[in-house]
Amino acid sequence: MKRLFLFLALAGLLLKTSAQEQQRIAPAYPLITHDPYFSIWSTTDELNSSATAHWTGASQSLTGLVKVDGVTYRVLGQNVQSYRSIIATSDENPYNMKYTETAPGNDWMQSGYDDKAWKTGKAPFGNYIKDGTLWESHDLWTRRTFDISEASVGELFLKISHDDHIKVYLNGEEIYNYEGFTAQYVYLPISNAAKSKLRSKGNVLAIHILNTGGGAFLDAGVSRLAAVPREKGIMKAVQTAVKINATQTSYQFTCGKVNLALTFTSPLLLNDLTLLSRPVSYISYKLAANDKAAHQVSVYFGASSNICVNVPSQPVVVSRYTSGQLAVLKAGTKEQPILKKKGDDLRIDWGYMYVAAPAAVHPVQYISAGDDAMKAFANGKIASTKQDKELVLSTVVNLGAVNRTGKEQLFLLGYDDLFALQYFNTNLKAWWKNNAAQTIDKQLNAAYTNYSTILKKCTDFNAKLYKDAVANGGESYAKLCELAYRQSIAAHKLVKSPQGDLLFLSKENFSNGCINTVDVTYPSSPLFLLYNPDLLKGMMNGIFYYSESGKWNKPFPAHDLGAYPMANGQLYGEDMPVEEAGNMIILTTAIAKVEGHADYAKKHWKTLSVWADYLSKEGFDPANQPCTDDFAGHTARNANLSVKAIVALGGYGMLAEKLGMTAEAAKYKTMAKEMALKWMDMANDGDHYSLTFDQKDTWSQKYNLVWDKVLDLGLFPKSVFEKEVKYYLTKQNAFGLPLDSRRTYTKSDWIMWTATLTDNRADFEKFVEPIYKYAKETSARVPLSDWHETTDGKQVGFQARSVVGGYAIKLLDDRLHRK
């Protein structure tokens, strides 16, 4: 251990590169990653240059300080900008406003306009809301009258969430005009020209919004900027390095005469379901002097109560206690609306968050307003507050004298969601609660007691994943696999069904919020096939149950099981028959290939046979139906979708063969091979294969072919792969290969599958390097998006999704073909 801390000190002396000179290695950095609700990230390359946030972008602040010989350095997070409402939005307080759906006169936005004939409605307005006013028409005009005191006027902001196109006026002055929608509440500065028109009474906030289709929503208010907390007496530590590996993100800092290694570990080891399900992360401060002297050091860790609310305005209750070996702080909402919310841009507001530290080090713990938390540590005082929202749970540990040998201080951050999901109207607890004797306090203490053992397991796994990925695809590929690992896992929740089946259910993050979407499971699958195929079964069990229980009676699988966290039946408005039937059969075949037997297929054979029969009739030349790649519109006769059906039918034949069904195996294997030959003729477009059978001079990534290679089905000759790969290499842009000829955007998970069609390392790396370039250079500082523009690297949509688990396809291919 002495050698470890000595190395840390020496490394700090050698790392002279400033943080500004360091290369970005990720669009956002994972810190706490467990499930779709307990997921906190840093969105800047320097850990102490921004406040940390939930993957949706909502503030969930973690803060860290180190005091060396009386001088305080900030190493984690930043003071959070806060706002105070002048007229609140509905997430803070209910309100009514006037509205009409009939076009009014030209002066409708003026404060003197007579709106007595307008209706009165409760905010928010939308077409998918329970507590508000239903709005399903095209146009909506609203007016809200308010008074304002002179003391309130300062730096003002429009706080708004809307879907879709909108114009906003303040006393007749236009203050916002936007075509599109906001995924969450945003604060937009109000100009001085508009502020000059404010008066003490009778101000009007007027809005015209268009519902262009799909979701519709409107909620708006006015806020003022609260004073930014001054960090008097707090210096910014110098970050000298950052590293991301599979289970950890580690930072190096210089804090005057002391070096700090600050490491976040979420021990998501896929072969240990108890550990995988335990909702506890480690935050480790390792400190060592960088000179020959000893220095007095104390450390601070703070976590915002916003981690346990959906919106900051929700009141919380807090407590402090000792449990076993740990001193613990706890917070949760007063309301505790367990499983009352569902959908996409949401945070958990039930259950409780926990901050813990070893009681043996005599930590000082306090709960205060966010403005006071770090200031109290810097000033050596204990802060307190009477407010019940936007609090900080703070822990201080005095390490005493620290020399070059060094010391480590560990903190734990945990979350007990009480109930995790609803599954066909039954509320389910997290997997770690399968043992009724377990409590979150026991989980926290177990995490602490076994820290050294768990950390070694993580370190060993990190090294193995990186080594294997470098050997198979190069250093850039390895770094992408490291970026994808925690993100993919943390988009799921692990539970047990009432039938006793393992369920590993995904959330379709920033797409539509669906739970257990089949065409999200499909691209995610390689990571779980590689390290624990039981987890892939957990992603499929619910879909099989939906059909086999009679709740879903169509001859193809459902698209999803509902809106996260409510898995009560399909939410998506359109079926994807060929897409989802092909996905489920291919994945069942892949499980059999990895496990070496077809027991899982045997369990669901009747259902698989119905789906295979459907594909035999409808799969080869698909009708105009939705598929996972129709961002640019649905297409009939989609050649890549046809490949999926062909590969699935070949896979079904392989499964039949493994189960000793000789005649069935021969029938479907022959059928698939004949379809493949026919496909080659119908999709042929000279030097490549077309997007659809009837549109020549088009192209698309035929990434579904990868399973023919990975599963050794032998349906398509190698020349098909070679022909497509050669053509794709002529179509690449700076940030990757476009999805197809219709647009220049792409899906990076599919590029990785396409790259695995190559038969040489050089070509594989040609596809991978632009993806890594995107990860390092995109302007979108969010958890890795899988949908981006190949021309400029901008995010098109989606973020923090599980599909990046598909990057592991090359590792899976190697595993299955390694001699």
Side-chain angles (χ1 to χ4, degrees), residues 32 38 62 279-281 283 301 303-304 307-308 319 321 323 326-332 351-357 365 393 395 411-418 432-433 439-442 444:
I32 310 294
F38 193 28
L62 301 177
V280 180
S281 275
I283 301 95
F301 175 69
S304 169
I307 293 169
C308 64
S319 60
Y321 63 95
S323 171
L326 299 173
V328 183
L329 295 169
K330 172 183 177 182
Y352 296 90
M353 61 176 286
Y354 296 80
V355 177
Q365 295 185 304
L393 282 60
T395 302
F411 300 94
L412 292 84
L413 184 63
Y415 204 102
D416 180 5
D417 52 20
L418 304 181
W432 65 268
K433 292 188 174 185
T439 65
I440 188 63
D441 286 334
K442 289 181 179 179
L444 286 164

Side-chain angles (χ1 to χ4, degrees), residues 202-223:
N203 300 288
V204 172
L205 186 68
I207 299 172
H208 177 213
I209 185 169
L210 302 178
N211 174 18
T212 62
F217 188 83
L218 175 63
D219 191 16
V222 175
S223 298

